Amino acid sequence: MELDRQPTLEGELVTIRPLRPDDWDALFAVASDPLIWEIHPAHDRWQEPVFRKFFDHAIACGGGLAILDKATGAIIGSSRYDVHVPDQDEIEIGWTFIARAYWGGIYNREIKRLMLDHIHRYVGTVVFIVGQDNLRSRGAMEKIGGELIEGRHHRGDGTVFADHVVYAIRRP
């Protein structure tokens, strides 16, 4: 079965679909809130040139996803399936952010559940690279069952992220 890194996924609260270049304006409108990034390692991502690089990489990586509020159809954030390491039966889910109005857990849980259920059909382990001091994201990882991998600070491809930790969720 060929790995599908750009599915359309439907939940009760959100629709997740492939990110498109014409999503720029709507997604930057969400990302331009500095408070989204205040404890994130890339705390300047709310700035247009910095976010442009983030957005362009999401398009280029082939796994960028837009997250839409199912009730309104508005883009509320983004995530992606990034580095896939077939030899390790592993893929990264990451680069996720949502508008502050959607913080509090229920949206993030549904987003991650939809993404995990989908990708676990293809790979056994999903990793998440999280800023070491990003307590909000670390707490969210723990709420959805992420296991902290002690001593690991890199992707499966060997890319090291200083001041980051790695969580894993394995196929049930």
Side-chain angles (χ1 to χ4, degrees):
M1 191 166 30
E2 187 175 332
L3 181 67
D4 180 5
R5 295 176 55 217
Q6 285 202 303
T8 296
L9 307 171
E10 299 258 346
E12 291 182 27
L13 303 170
V14 299
T15 299
I16 300 171
R17 62 153 173 80
L19 186 65
R20 304 182 307 243
D22 65 339
D23 291 330
W24 164 259
D25 289 333
L27 195 57
F28 182 62
V30 174
S32 63
D33 177 353
L35 294 178
I36 290 175
W37 310 104
E38 81 178 327
I39 63 173
H40 190 278
H43 59 273
D44 61 349
R45 195 170 283 153
W46 60 273
Q47 298 173 16
E48 192 275 338
V50 178
F51 189 75
R52 174 59 73 182
K53 289 179 187 174
F54 174 91
F55 183 84
D56 290 347
H57 183 265
I59 295 290
C61 82
L65 300 165
I67 302 165
L68 288 72
D69 179 326
K70 193 168 179 181
T72 66
I75 290 180
I76 62 168
S78 178
S79 191
R80 67 180 86 158
Y81 294 113
D82 209 345
V83 174
H84 177 224
V85 185
D87 295 351
Q88 296 179 31
D89 195 27
E90 176 180 290
I91 195 165
E92 177 188 350
I93 289 178
W95 312 91
T96 306
F97 72 93
I98 55 176
R100 285 188 299 132
Y102 296 87
W103 287 5
I106 61 172
Y107 282 85
N108 186 56
R109 273 193 298 277
E110 181 171 275
I111 292 162
K112 294 301 190 317
R113 181 187 53 78
L114 289 167
M115 291 180 72
L116 286 162
D117 288 351
H118 168 76
I119 208 65
H120 272 144
R121 295 178 10 214
Y122 304 95
V123 298
T125 301
V126 176
V127 296
F128 300 81
I129 315 282
V130 179
Q132 182 174 298
D133 297 327
N134 189 339
L135 300 180
R136 187 175 344 177
S137 291
R138 291 185 70 169
M141 282 307 312
E142 291 166 11
K143 283 181 186 177
I144 65 166
E147 172 193 347
L148 180 63
I149 307 301
E150 293 290 339
R152 182 167 169 190
H153 304 279
H154 61 85
R155 288 180 166 154
D157 68 355
T159 304
V160 175
F161 288 84
D163 301 325
H164 284 70
V165 294
V166 178
Y167 286 85
I169 297 179
R170 291 174 178 76
R171 181 177 19 221

